[in-house]
Each structure stands twice: as structure tokens, then as C-alpha cells.
Amino acid sequence: GNSVTQMEGPVTLSEEAFLTINCTYTATGYPSLFWYVQYPGEGLQLLLKATKADDKGSNKGFEATYRKETTSFHLEKGSVQVSDSAVYFCALSPNSGGGADGLTFGKGTHLIIQP
Amino acid sequence: KAGVTQTPRYLIKTRGQQVTLSCSPISGHRSVSWYQQTPGQGLQFLFEYFSETQRNKGNFPGRFSGRQFSNSRSEMNVSTLELGDSALYLCASSLEVGGRTGELFFGEGSRLTVL
């Protein structure tokens, strides 16, 4: 079946540090890949997505590139801020083209940014 | 516009009881998905409804059920509660069947504690 693996953390960084959160996946075919973010006290929200190999998703200074050869979708940001403190979830959609199979999520990475 | 609304936000039940959770999607969204979030298993797909029809179901026992009404509001029910059902239950809505785009809009969840 489909699965997503990501570092769980917590990951603690200083403000303005470079961020990488690793995400690798197992899926048949060509899934779509996503990063969701959950800020304290809020629901999950889509951060960025990529629907085919070599696509780069970007939003709010975050980027992730769909690497089919390494089955990875690592999240990066050049300079993090305290407001980036949240839980980040990597997810995939099987893109079966038929009915909905639901998203498969990683277990989430808790990111803490210290001033 | 208003986001996804879930009620109740918190509830406590005892083993053997049943519970019904409600979700009102974003206006115009016809798809509603349900996910269970626990520290051990992370986010797991329960089921998705679109236009009052269940489109897919995750790997959960038959004690977990749901329905969707003509106004797209959805309810999920868990019967004969077990301690392991304690979790945050998340509802997500989308314009179309969620698995195709992955762009889901999540509510803040209903936190169920089973004693």
C-alpha cells in the first residue's frame, strides 16, 4: 500500500536558519504530493503541492521538489521565522483517476523556531 | 467565507457508548472527508462523501459510519466505543472528490476521549 515517511521531531531551529524536513514515499504509479501545515490551535491547511515528477511546489518561502527517482518530496525554506513554528505533514494522493482513496499522511514533523 | 465547522469540539464518552460528530463544509463544497488523528498512528483516512454518496472507505471497522445530507453537511458515528477510539477526528471539505486534487480544507477537529 501507499505510505509516507517523514522525520517526526521535534525539530528546533533558531530564527533565520535553513530548514529541511525530509519526506519519502511509497506508492504505485504517479501520485500527487503535498505538504500540509497545522499551526497551533488551527486546522490543517495546504502549504504546497506537486502533481508530477520534477514539479516544484512553493508558497510562503517554502519549496519542495517532486523527485521520482528518489521517491522524495523534501520541504525547504531558506530563512525560518518564529511564525513558522507548527506541525508539518507530508501527504500523497494516489491519483488513481477513479474514486477517492483519501490522502495518505506522514506522522508530522513538529517544528519549533526560537528567536 | 466561513471555513469548515466541526461540532462538538470536545467530548468525553465511556466505553460502549456511541457518538455522533458533525461537520459543515465550506459553502459550495460537495465533498467531505473524515480522518482520525492519534499520536501513534497519525492521520488515517476514514471515509469520503460526495453528493450524499460514500465514495471510499478506509481500513476501519464497521463501528465507524457516516452520512452526508443534501446540504453537504456530514455526520460520522462511532458505535460501541472503545478506549482506542480516543482521537482527534478531522473533517475536510473540497470542491470535488478530494483524492484527485488533494486540496482539502480542514476543520479544527472534534477531540473525543473515551473513558
Side-chain angles (χ1 to χ4, degrees):
Chain A
N2 301 325
S3 67
V4 174
T5 302
Q6 62 179 110
M7 52 206 295
E8 291 186 32
V11 173
T12 303
L13 296 173
S14 297
E15 203 165 22
E16 299 184 2
F18 184 86
L19 168 71
T20 299
I21 300 178
N22 291 336
C23 170
T24 57
Y25 68 90
T26 301
T28 55
Y30 300 91
S32 292
L33 301 173
F34 311 89
W35 278 100
Y36 276 80
V37 59
Q38 186 173 33
Y39 297 104
E42 299 183 16
L44 276 79
Q45 53 188 274
L46 180 64
L47 180 61
L48 53 84
K49 68 177 184 179
T51 57
K52 60 183 187 296
D54 299 325
D55 266 3
K56 177 185 284 188
S58 62
N59 186 25
K60 299 183 181 180
F62 291 89
E63 293 183 340
T65 301
Y66 187 165
R67 302 289 188 197
K68 186 163 179 61
E69 63 276 12
T70 54
T71 61
S72 65
F73 192 55
H74 304 323
L75 183 68
E76 296 182 334
K77 186 175 185 182
S79 176
V80 293
Q81 305 300 313
V82 172
S83 57
D84 294 326
S85 298
V87 182
Y88 292 80
F89 293 89
C90 185
L92 71 81
S93 171
N95 258 357
S96 60
D101 298 321
L103 296 185
T104 298
F105 285 88
K107 292 194 174 182
T109 300
H110 186 194
L111 176 66
I112 300 169
I113 307 300
Q114 297 178 332
Chain B
K1 53 185 174 182
V4 176
T5 304
Q6 292 187 244
T7 57
R9 291 291 314 280
Y10 303 91
L11 65 166
I12 300 173
K13 294 287 187 178
T14 57
R15 280 180 298 175
Q17 287 186 311
Q18 73 165 12
V19 65
T20 299
L21 308 178
S22 179
C23 173
S24 294
I26 291 172
S27 178
H29 286 193
R30 295 166 62 191
S31 171
V32 174
S33 303
W34 289 89
Y35 288 80
Q36 182 194 65
Q37 186 177 19
T38 59
Q41 299 299 317
L43 278 152
Q44 294 184 284
F45 173 69
L46 280 157
F47 29 65
E48 177 172 7
Y49 287 86
F50 185 85
S51 294
E52 303 178 65
T53 301
Q54 186 179 89
R55 291 308 178 103
N56 208 356
K57 192 176 192 301
N59 189 25
F60 279 83
R63 300 185 297 107
F64 292 80
S65 63
R67 59 178 175 169
Q68 187 180 33
F69 302 96
S70 58
N71 62 358
S72 294
R73 190 177 69 85
S74 177
E75 289 181 347
M76 69 162 282
N77 184 77
V78 187
S79 62
T80 319
L81 283 167
E82 301 176 359
L83 294 178
D85 297 333
S86 294
L88 182 66
Y89 289 88
L90 294 169
C91 168
S93 76
S94 60
L95 280 168
E96 55 182 79
V97 174
R100 292 183 185 157
T101 68
E103 188 154 7
L104 305 181
F105 296 82
F106 282 84
E108 293 182 24
S110 293
R111 183 166 296 283
L112 170 65
T113 301
V114 182
L115 301 177

